[in-house]
Amino acid sequence: MVTGFPLVAIRSFIQATRDSGYKSTSAAVSELVDNAFEAEATCVRVEVNEDPRGEKRLSVSDNGHGMAPTIMQLALQFGGSTRFNFRQGAGRYGMGLPNGSLSQARRVDLYSWSNPHKIWSTYLDVDEIASGVLDGVPRPVRFKPGSAKDYPETPSGTVIALSKCDKLDYRTVKAQAKRLNLDLGRIFRQRLYQDKQILVNGDAVAPLDPIFLHPSGSLCAAEPYGPPLEYQVRTPVPVAGHPVSKIQVRFVLLPVEKWHSLSNEQKNQAGISSGAGVSIVRAGREIDYGWYFMGNKRRENYDDWWRCEVSFEPVLDELFGVTHTKQKINPTVELNEILVPDLERVARELNGIVRKRYTEVRTAEFSGRAIAAAEQRDVRMEPLPLRRSAHASHAQGRALWRKVEYAIDHKPLDEVSFYVPALRRDKLLLTLNQEHSFFTKIYEPLFADNQGIPNSLLGYLQLLLLSVARAECNIRSRQDRDAVKRLREEWSNALTAFLD
Ligand SMILES: Nc1ncnc2c1ncn2[C@@H]1O[C@H](COP(=O)(O)OP(=O)(O)OP(=O)(O)O)[C@@H](O)[C@H]1O
Ligand SMILES: [Mg+2]
């Protein structure tokens, strides 16, 4: 039916669509980088700068195959695409270029060429559209650079130039460029590993692998946790030739022993701290990063030390709930039913492994200091009733005889006590019962990372335990020892009752 009433109120639409919800400038710019790589570009240059009046500009230039003038008009049209609903690459909605651009700027100029001496240009300008001066995408016109040296160096290519940028994330050019460099390195890591290049203000973007697995990464010490999980899933909408498609899930463990002693600044910079989550990779580029498919498992600090990557192809977009801004997923119930049982289980396993490794590393580190203090000061007290060590010779005399070694260990004990002291020749061994709530609720959490507890207090706690162990070891009569053991067991039981 022809109503004569336009479907879109263009003047208000253009203003409203600017708020279509890109979560960051990097997410919007990623649309333009996607387009460049789809046009077979090998190098994408992103420039952010400020003109003398303080107005921000951002441009994305590529050496891809460029566009014919008719395609350029289509390219700036909302919904205009040469690959609508195509499921083999990143683009399929016909929205990325106009929508991504105008979410950051009030004007976008498009330049494209397949002959560097024949450049075409067209544009969209929010103010001209809002005031009624412009009611569509202008027919491309020939663009002549100011001087011969300004002609493009590449045989073909495209420039998307955003001006009147009023919605960039950062106020300074430097901060914005830095953020883009970091984000694009992660989002496009797989392309960068395949020899594609992105430059931000002239600086090469380095690939950043959030799962620390790629061999060329500066930090690539993660170990894969089992082989990748693969799920063959029926495609939700019939796409010719694709009845099923694969979802691949990789888990890795970060090297706790190697990296735990990095400073907080180093951990932040490398993306270790607060990095718990799942990287969602669609058609080889990251579209989201978050706490997905984890069922009832809550995110904890320990979860920074393992990572997960879920990769899928665009034929599964409906299942993952990908929207046209390609920056977030909204998994369907069906997808959660497929992935959550395994992913939640593996996440809990990994959390347990990290927790154990971490406790081992941290307690060993602190025990070293507490033990040294105890060994040094032991001589100030009445000597413990040590038995002569097998190898201690008479010639070594009394000094060696009285030297006591201290050790702290933890393991599951078939005991009600939360600690058990023992004198073994010239060694005092304190064993903490890993099964007791004291260990799981107090000792272990205190030694976990990022607790904000001063290191000195952790050392004092160990000295407190060593001193009580020493006191018990110094009880001489059997009767007294039995009474002290009973006290320790009563204390441990009461502690269990209070803590559980
Ligand atoms: N840098 C580029 N080089 C060559 N062609 C391009 C470039 N950028 C955009 N195009 C053309 O413009 C069209 C529109 O781009 P746009 O990003 O708006 O939509 P799309 O990529 O088709 O889909 P999506 O909205 O999912 O990104 C593309 O289909 C492509 O033909
Ligand atoms: Mg696109």
XYZ file of all heavy atoms in Angstrom, residues 85-137:
413
model
N 22.716 -9.665 5.444
C 22.466 -11.001 6.000
C 23.471 -12.064 5.544
O 23.218 -13.257 5.626
C 21.039 -11.476 5.725
C 20.563 -12.380 6.855
O 21.183 -12.441 7.924
N 19.503 -13.112 6.618
N 24.611 -11.604 5.095
C 25.701 -12.499 4.708
C 26.308 -13.064 5.992
O 26.424 -12.369 6.987
C 26.728 -11.648 3.961
C 27.913 -12.385 3.413
C 27.770 -13.285 2.370
C 29.184 -12.145 3.932
C 28.885 -13.930 1.857
C 30.294 -12.789 3.414
C 30.138 -13.684 2.370
N 26.653 -14.375 5.994
C 27.126 -14.950 7.259
C 28.561 -15.475 7.181
O 28.961 -16.312 7.963
C 26.196 -16.091 7.686
C 24.747 -15.706 7.865
C 24.557 -14.691 8.980
N 23.149 -14.373 9.131
C 22.422 -14.704 10.190
N 22.975 -15.305 11.212
N 21.142 -14.395 10.231
N 29.322 -14.985 6.211
C 30.701 -15.487 6.098
C 31.742 -14.531 6.684
O 32.895 -14.876 6.805
C 31.069 -15.723 4.624
C 30.080 -16.534 3.845
C 30.242 -18.008 4.110
O 31.319 -18.537 3.958
N 29.178 -18.648 4.518
N 31.338 -13.309 6.980
C 32.316 -12.341 7.511
C 31.697 -11.550 8.650
O 30.653 -11.927 9.188
N 32.339 -10.436 8.983
C 31.872 -9.659 10.135
C 30.566 -8.914 9.835
O 29.655 -8.885 10.648
C 32.959 -8.668 10.543
N 30.482 -8.269 8.658
C 29.361 -7.373 8.369
C 28.161 -8.098 7.793
O 28.306 -9.018 6.995
N 26.954 -7.665 8.208
C 25.746 -8.259 7.635
C 24.528 -7.377 7.792
O 23.455 -7.660 7.299
C 25.459 -9.619 8.262
C 25.359 -9.609 9.774
C 24.760 -10.885 10.301
N 23.320 -10.806 10.279
C 22.552 -11.274 11.273
N 23.088 -11.873 12.298
N 21.237 -11.161 11.192
N 24.643 -6.243 8.510
C 23.457 -5.451 8.822
C 23.324 -4.179 7.984
O 22.263 -3.580 7.920
C 23.465 -5.029 10.292
C 23.377 -6.167 11.260
C 24.509 -6.639 11.915
C 22.161 -6.779 11.537
C 24.440 -7.673 12.823
C 22.071 -7.829 12.447
C 23.227 -8.272 13.083
O 23.147 -9.298 13.986
N 24.395 -3.703 7.416
C 24.339 -2.442 6.669
C 24.225 -1.230 7.581
O 23.699 -0.184 7.188
N 24.699 -1.363 8.820
C 24.556 -0.276 9.795
C 25.896 0.255 10.314
O 25.978 1.385 10.788
C 23.747 -0.778 11.010
C 22.334 -1.178 10.699
S 21.323 0.212 10.218
C 20.961 0.923 11.816
N 26.915 -0.583 10.258
C 28.178 -0.291 10.938
C 28.783 1.050 10.565
O 29.156 1.830 11.448
N 28.883 1.329 9.273
C 29.560 2.563 8.853
C 28.800 3.816 9.287
O 29.343 4.647 10.028
C 29.828 2.515 7.339
C 30.341 3.770 6.662
C 31.460 4.450 7.420
C 30.800 3.465 5.236
N 27.514 3.988 8.860
C 26.861 5.235 9.288
C 26.631 5.300 10.793
O 26.849 6.338 11.425
C 25.535 5.217 8.521
C 25.301 3.796 8.120
C 26.674 3.179 7.964
N 26.212 4.185 11.376
C 25.841 4.204 12.783
C 27.060 4.355 13.695
O 27.043 5.155 14.634
C 25.139 2.873 13.099
C 24.011 3.048 14.056
O 23.381 4.096 14.090
N 23.767 2.035 14.853
N 28.094 3.581 13.408
C 29.325 3.672 14.205
C 29.902 5.069 14.111
O 30.313 5.667 15.110
N 29.934 5.623 12.901
C 30.535 6.951 12.709
C 29.760 8.030 13.446
O 30.326 8.836 14.197
C 30.548 7.314 11.214
O 31.265 6.342 10.497
N 28.434 8.057 13.234
C 27.651 9.160 13.808
C 27.421 8.987 15.314
O 26.977 9.914 15.981
C 26.335 9.329 13.057
C 26.506 9.742 11.585
C 25.151 9.995 10.925
C 27.399 10.987 11.419
N 27.758 7.804 15.844
C 27.668 7.663 17.310
C 28.791 8.465 17.972
O 28.746 8.743 19.167
C 27.768 6.194 17.726
O 29.091 5.714 17.559
N 29.800 8.850 17.189
C 30.953 9.573 17.750
C 31.063 11.004 17.229
O 31.725 11.835 17.847
C 32.270 8.851 17.381
C 32.310 7.398 17.794
C 32.200 7.226 19.300
O 32.945 7.823 20.066
N 31.233 6.419 19.724
N 30.484 11.265 16.052
C 30.729 12.554 15.387
C 29.454 13.073 14.746
O 28.531 12.308 14.454
C 31.801 12.353 14.312
N 29.431 14.377 14.505
C 28.242 14.950 13.842
C 28.408 14.986 12.327
O 27.525 15.389 11.601
C 27.979 16.360 14.388
C 27.699 16.370 15.885
C 27.404 17.771 16.395
N 26.091 18.246 15.972
C 24.961 17.907 16.565
N 24.974 17.100 17.611
N 23.813 18.360 16.123
N 29.595 14.617 11.864
C 29.776 14.580 10.412
C 30.726 13.459 10.053
O 31.719 13.214 10.740
C 30.347 15.916 9.916
C 30.533 15.944 8.398
C 31.096 17.287 7.941
N 31.431 17.206 6.517
C 30.704 17.751 5.546
N 29.610 18.430 5.824
N 31.079 17.622 4.288
N 30.378 12.749 8.949
C 31.295 11.736 8.433
C 31.502 11.995 6.933
O 30.542 12.168 6.197
C 30.787 10.293 8.701
C 29.339 10.075 8.299
C 31.659 9.252 7.977
N 32.751 12.082 6.523
C 33.105 12.213 5.104
C 33.716 10.903 4.653
O 34.588 10.363 5.339
C 34.111 13.348 4.890
C 33.437 14.707 4.973
O 32.917 15.177 3.948
O 33.401 15.276 6.092
N 33.249 10.426 3.529
C 33.745 9.156 3.016
C 34.511 9.428 1.716
O 33.995 10.088 0.812
C 32.532 8.246 2.752
C 32.724 6.966 1.979
C 33.696 6.041 2.682
C 31.370 6.256 1.823
N 35.738 8.955 1.650
C 36.570 9.091 0.444
C 36.952 7.678 0.016
O 37.343 6.863 0.861
C 37.864 9.867 0.723
C 37.636 11.235 1.320
C 37.525 11.391 2.701
C 37.538 12.366 0.517
C 37.319 12.642 3.265
C 37.332 13.626 1.086
C 37.216 13.749 2.457
O 37.000 14.986 3.014
N 36.889 7.405 -1.280
C 37.289 6.062 -1.701
C 37.835 6.131 -3.121
O 37.467 7.018 -3.901
C 36.087 5.113 -1.610
O 36.528 3.784 -1.537
N 38.720 5.226 -3.467
C 39.335 5.226 -4.786
C 39.797 3.824 -5.171
O 40.158 3.026 -4.311
C 40.526 6.205 -4.826
C 41.649 5.815 -3.902
C 42.767 5.122 -4.221
C 41.753 6.110 -2.498
N 43.573 4.950 -3.116
C 42.969 5.548 -2.033
C 40.946 6.778 -1.579
C 43.381 5.631 -0.709
C 41.358 6.858 -0.250
C 42.568 6.295 0.155
N 39.724 3.537 -6.451
C 40.394 2.325 -6.939
C 41.430 2.752 -7.979
O 41.986 1.940 -8.718
C 39.400 1.315 -7.505
O 38.466 1.974 -8.301
N 41.652 4.077 -7.997
C 42.718 4.699 -8.775
C 43.101 5.946 -7.977
O 42.259 6.818 -7.722
C 42.155 5.065 -10.169
C 43.077 5.994 -10.930
O 44.072 6.495 -10.400
N 42.733 6.256 -12.175
N 44.352 6.010 -7.502
C 44.699 7.099 -6.574
C 44.538 8.506 -7.150
O 44.548 9.497 -6.412
C 46.158 6.805 -6.217
C 46.649 5.772 -7.144
C 45.465 5.085 -7.766
N 44.351 8.611 -8.481
C 44.145 9.943 -9.065
C 42.668 10.228 -9.310
O 42.307 11.232 -9.913
C 44.964 10.079 -10.350
C 46.440 10.058 -10.040
N 47.113 11.131 -9.519
C 47.340 9.047 -10.114
C 48.366 10.807 -9.298
N 48.534 9.538 -9.647
N 41.826 9.282 -8.870
C 40.389 9.465 -9.064
C 39.696 9.135 -7.742
O 39.269 8.007 -7.502
C 39.930 8.501 -10.165
C 38.879 9.063 -11.064
C 38.708 8.144 -12.223
C 37.583 8.609 -13.112
N 37.325 7.654 -14.165
N 39.678 10.138 -6.897
C 39.101 9.919 -5.557
C 37.677 10.464 -5.564
O 37.419 11.562 -6.069
C 39.922 10.686 -4.494
C 41.396 10.293 -4.600
C 39.404 10.418 -3.098
C 42.319 11.238 -3.855
N 36.771 9.680 -4.989
C 35.380 10.115 -4.894
C 35.048 10.398 -3.435
O 35.623 9.776 -2.542
C 34.443 9.024 -5.427
C 34.591 8.796 -6.902
C 35.407 7.891 -7.501
C 33.917 9.504 -7.933
N 35.293 7.967 -8.868
C 34.371 8.967 -9.163
C 32.976 10.537 -7.970
C 33.921 9.420 -10.386
C 32.516 10.974 -9.205
C 33.001 10.431 -10.392
N 34.133 11.315 -3.246
C 33.751 11.574 -1.847
C 32.264 11.882 -1.713
O 31.625 12.395 -2.636
C 34.576 12.726 -1.268
O 33.955 13.962 -1.502
N 31.761 11.539 -0.541
C 30.387 11.913 -0.169
C 30.354 12.042 1.350
O 31.377 11.830 2.007
C 29.345 10.919 -0.702
O 28.048 11.369 -0.319
C 29.557 9.508 -0.171
N 29.225 12.370 1.918
C 29.226 12.615 3.367
C 27.828 12.523 3.954
O 26.824 12.502 3.226
C 29.802 14.012 3.654
C 28.854 15.137 3.254
C 28.031 15.754 4.202
C 28.755 15.563 1.927
C 27.165 16.771 3.851
C 27.873 16.576 1.575
C 27.081 17.172 2.524
O 26.194 18.159 2.167
N 27.789 12.510 5.284
C 26.548 12.711 6.043
C 26.859 13.762 7.099
O 27.932 13.723 7.706
C 26.106 11.427 6.760
C 25.484 10.311 5.926
C 25.157 9.125 6.830
C 24.222 10.785 5.205
N 25.926 14.702 7.285
C 26.155 15.740 8.290
C 24.886 15.870 9.130
O 23.822 16.234 8.606
C 26.489 17.068 7.575
C 26.907 18.139 8.575
O 26.138 18.401 9.522
O 28.008 18.704 8.411
N 25.009 15.550 10.408
C 23.848 15.531 11.298
C 23.162 16.896 11.323
O 21.929 16.984 11.262
C 24.285 15.118 12.730
C 23.136 15.253 13.717
C 24.839 13.707 12.732
N 23.944 17.976 11.376
C 23.341 19.320 11.477
C 22.585 19.678 10.201
O 21.503 20.253 10.251
C 24.426 20.359 11.773
C 25.131 20.041 13.082
O 24.433 19.634 14.035
O 26.373 20.144 13.139
N 23.163 19.292 9.038
C 22.471 19.591 7.767
C 21.181 18.777 7.661
O 20.165 19.259 7.166
C 23.391 19.280 6.571
C 24.520 20.285 6.409
C 25.374 20.038 5.167
O 24.901 19.362 4.229
O 26.522 20.524 5.148
N 21.225 17.535 8.144
C 20.010 16.703 8.068
C 18.960 17.248 9.037
O 17.788 17.413 8.689
C 20.338 15.222 8.374
C 21.283 14.656 7.305
C 19.055 14.386 8.423
C 21.904 13.317 7.636
N 19.400 17.579 10.256
C 18.453 18.062 11.266
C 17.806 19.381 10.845
O 16.650 19.649 11.150
C 19.169 18.229 12.601
N 18.555 20.206 10.087
C 17.971 21.495 9.678
C 17.235 21.396 8.344
O 16.703 22.368 7.841
C 19.085 22.552 9.589
O 19.975 22.193 8.541
N 17.239 20.216 7.742
C 16.492 20.019 6.502
C 17.271 20.342 5.244
O 16.754 20.233 4.130
N 18.544 20.727 5.365
C 19.362 21.065 4.187
C 19.680 19.802 3.395
O 19.752 19.818 2.167
C 20.675 21.761 4.634
C 21.616 21.999 3.456
C 20.379 23.061 5.354
N 19.819 18.681 4.115
C 20.207 17.422 3.466
C 19.142 16.377 3.784
O 18.736 16.242 4.942
C 21.567 16.975 4.064
C 22.322 15.856 3.374
C 22.806 16.299 1.996
C 23.546 15.451 4.226
N 18.654 15.661 2.752
C 17.643 14.644 3.065
C 18.013 13.257 2.549
O 17.172 12.382 2.407
C 16.270 15.056 2.550
C 16.233 15.085 1.031
O 17.300 14.873 0.411
O 15.145 15.312 0.475
N 19.280 13.069 2.212
C 19.712 11.742 1.760
C 21.222 11.735 1.643
O 21.891 12.687 2.053
N 21.755 10.639 1.088
C 23.216 10.581 0.918
C 23.562 11.265 -0.400
O 23.102 10.842 -1.463
C 23.720 9.116 0.883
C 25.244 9.078 0.827
C 23.191 8.313 2.055
